[in-house]
């Protein structure tokens, strides 16, 4: 691991859960998104989306969001627009039995607003568009689990 994703080792992934169970595989998926070829990165991003955000968010989602922001900001990541879209998906979902997971995941996404603003001026049109869409969601985010802003 280089400087990107270096703090993943500080997360106790095996203690966290996602839609399929233990989140111990999440670091591998994040690494494939960071360094994989286009096909591998796309597959990893798809799997990660199904596990941490497709229908609900989880405690693993909360731990993953800062790394997603890190990936979105790295020009070498193959599908930064897809990473931004996943952040938007996280912001749109909750968890019926664990509202604290939804609140914490949403706050983690909201905390990356400055990165989204910077990416709204990116040279890649797909990244610009995804960042603009996410900024709209960030600005309009209101839900029952998040504190009023």
């Amino acid at each position: 691991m280089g400087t990107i994703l270096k703090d993943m080792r500080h997360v106790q992934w095996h203690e966290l859960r996602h839609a399929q169970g233990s989140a111990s595989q999440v670091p591998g998926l994040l690494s494939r998104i960071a360094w994989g070829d286009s096909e591998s990165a796309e597959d990893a991003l798809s799997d990660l989306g199904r596990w941490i955000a497709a229908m609900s968010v989880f405690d693993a989602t909360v731990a993953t969001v800062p790394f997603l922001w890190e990936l979105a900001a790295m020009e070498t990541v193959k599908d930064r627009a897809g990473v931004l879209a996943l952040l938007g998906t996280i912001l749109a979902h909750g968890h019926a039995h664990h509202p604290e997971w939804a609140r914490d995941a949403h706050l983690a996404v909201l905390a990356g607003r400055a990165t989204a603003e910077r990416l709204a001026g990116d040279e890649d049109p797909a990244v610009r568009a995804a960042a603009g869409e996410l900024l709209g969601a960030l600005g309009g985010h209101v839900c029952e689990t998040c504190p009023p802003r």
Side-chain angles (χ1 to χ4, degrees):
M1 248 181 281
T3 57
I4 185 173
L5 303 179
K6 67 178 171 32
D7 290 331
M8 279 194 315
R9 68 180 183 271
H10 300 299
V11 177
Q12 300 297 313
W13 295 102
H14 64 283
E15 294 177 7
L16 303 176
R17 308 289 295 166
H18 58 58
Q20 301 298 316
S22 170
S24 60
Q25 314 89 344
V26 169
L29 292 175
L30 290 168
S31 294
R32 285 177 43 209
I33 295 166
W35 296 291
D37 61 31
S38 293
E39 184 177 340
S40 177
E42 183 178 314
D43 289 346
L45 188 58
S46 176
D47 287 345
L48 187 62
R50 281 194 309 277
W51 290 358
I52 68 166
M55 299 304 286
S56 294
V57 296
F58 300 86
D59 57 351
T61 310
V62 177
T64 303
V65 168
F67 300 110
L68 292 174
W69 278 120
E70 192 175 343
L71 292 171
M74 296 301 298
E75 291 181 12
T76 57
V77 171
K78 305 289 189 274
D79 190 5
R80 294 184 299 144
V83 173
L84 291 167
L86 178 54
L87 287 162
T89 299
I90 292 167
L91 192 61
H93 288 100
H95 194 289
H97 302 294
H98 293 281
E100 70 279 8
W101 292 349
R103 180 198 62 232
D104 293 347
H106 294 174
L107 292 175
V109 173
L110 291 165
R113 182 180 191 88
T115 300
E117 289 171 346
R118 189 174 74 250
L119 293 173
D122 196 88
E123 64 184 41
D124 182 332
V127 171
R128 276 197 315 269
E133 189 171 318
L134 182 55
L135 281 169
L138 292 170
H141 179 71
V142 177
C143 76
E144 62 187 39
T145 62
C146 292
R149 296 180 293 134

